[in-house]
Amino acid sequence: MNGSNAGVGVVRAARWIGLTFGLPVVLLAVWWVASADSESYYLPPLSGILASFDDVWFGERFVQDVVPSVLRLAAGFGVALVAGGVGIVIGSYRRVRAFCEPVLEFLRAIPPPVLVPVLILFAGLGHTMKVLVVVSGCLWPILLNTVEGVRAVDEVLAETCRSYGIRGWARLRHLVVRGASPQIVTGMRQALSVGIILMVISEMFAANNGLGFTVISFQRSFAVTDMWTGIFLLGLLGFGLALAMRAFERRVLAWHASALGPVGRPTDRHSGRG
């Protein structure tokens, strides 16, 4: 029995590895072959990019540029996540939502990169400005998805809570937040992608470190191969954070996945059949 379970675990692990890394490996292989004979100064072969990768990033530059960028991204994402919790209040009360909706629609229509000069005026050129740029983009996917998730809470469950006298913190935790959590996590996943982009953009404005600063410095000094290593590193960072977010989603929303069943439909146990 243990051997059978181990075999099933190995098959599942192999399937996960294949589904997760299969396409990236194929694309890298195509890139490697297609660029093998490249003599273009602006499109160096992938082999040359990978050969330079260690020398460029595994050293002082990792501490001076990569770590600050990741910390800024984490700080901005965290602030946006906390601020996005206001969406629970907005989504819970119809009058509050009607009052806030025009302002929210106005603010979310402003592209975050446009705010960079304004944030420089108020926050200067330091870390605070760069974190605020990330916040300005990450906030809206989290906030608006939270509002919609709270609005979509099952009315039958809400009425059941009222019938059993479940109020206050217990209602907020077990009904509102739990019911809205799939939508909230969706907003978090969208915000993370936006945050990486804005992290790079913010570091291209009067910065002295960070991934965005380093990549643009390589471009300006015509260190094209080194520039490509920075772009490759940003792709790896995004891929790694996406895997981390997927693992977080799988853990937090395990109940939701089991409720939907293997094909994304409610199971018999939850749909009232059987």
Side-chain angles (χ1 to χ4, degrees), residues 6-254:
V8 172
V10 170
V11 171
R12 288 180 177 175
R15 182 182 302 168
W16 179 83
I17 292 173
L19 291 174
T20 303
F21 298 98
L23 182 58
V25 169
V26 170
L27 292 176
L28 285 175
V30 172
W31 186 5
W32 182 290
V33 173
S35 64
D37 298 327
S38 175
E39 297 180 357
S40 171
Y41 180 77
Y42 300 103
L43 295 173
L46 178 59
S47 58
I49 296 173
L50 296 180
S52 300
F53 191 88
D54 293 351
D55 296 334
V56 174
W57 296 109
F58 291 160
E60 293 184 1
R61 189 168 278 119
F62 182 84
V63 177
Q64 295 174 354
D65 294 313
V66 179
V67 173
S69 291
V70 174
L71 291 178
R72 290 165 188 153
L73 174 63
F77 184 82
V79 171
L81 183 60
V82 173
V86 178
I88 295 176
V89 178
I90 297 174
S92 298
Y93 301 99
R94 181 175 57 83
R95 291 182 179 178
V96 175
R97 186 168 63 250
F99 179 75
C100 295
E101 192 170 18
V103 177
L104 295 179
E105 293 296 333
F106 173 80
L107 292 176
R108 78 161 181 170
I110 301 175
V114 175
L115 297 176
V116 173
V118 179
L119 293 175
I120 289 176
L121 291 176
F122 287 98
L125 299 174
H127 298 293
T128 302
M129 179 273 291
K130 298 173 180 63
V131 171
L132 289 177
V133 171
V134 176
V135 173
S136 69
C138 291
L139 175 61
W140 304 113
I142 297 174
L143 176 62
L144 296 176
N145 275 282
T146 300
V147 171
E148 294 304 318
V150 172
R151 289 182 61 188
V153 169
D154 194 332
E155 287 294 333
V156 175
L157 295 178
E159 184 61 35
T160 302
C161 283
R162 283 191 289 269
S163 299
Y164 282 92
I166 301 175
R167 297 183 177 87
W169 171 251
R171 183 182 184 277
L172 177 66
R173 177 185 176 186
H174 295 291
L175 173 65
V176 178
V177 175
R178 187 178 177 88
S181 57
Q183 198 88 351
I184 295 173
V185 172
T186 298
M188 292 171 59
R189 189 168 59 245
Q190 295 172 350
L192 188 60
S193 301
V194 174
I196 295 173
I197 297 171
L198 293 176
M199 175 197 74
V200 175
I201 292 176
S202 69
E203 293 171 348
M204 291 180 174
F205 286 86
N208 57 9
N209 66 356
L211 283 169
F213 166 77
T214 305
V215 169
I216 201 70
S217 297
F218 287 151
Q219 184 265 333
R220 289 171 178 170
S221 61
F222 295 96
V224 176
T225 300
D226 292 344
M227 180 191 72
W228 277 103
T229 64
I231 296 172
F232 192 80
L233 178 60
L234 284 169
L236 290 177
L237 176 63
F239 182 68
L241 291 176
L243 290 181
M245 179 58 71
R246 186 184 301 176
F248 171 80
E249 182 177 1
R250 190 180 300 116
R251 182 176 180 83
V252 172
L253 299 181

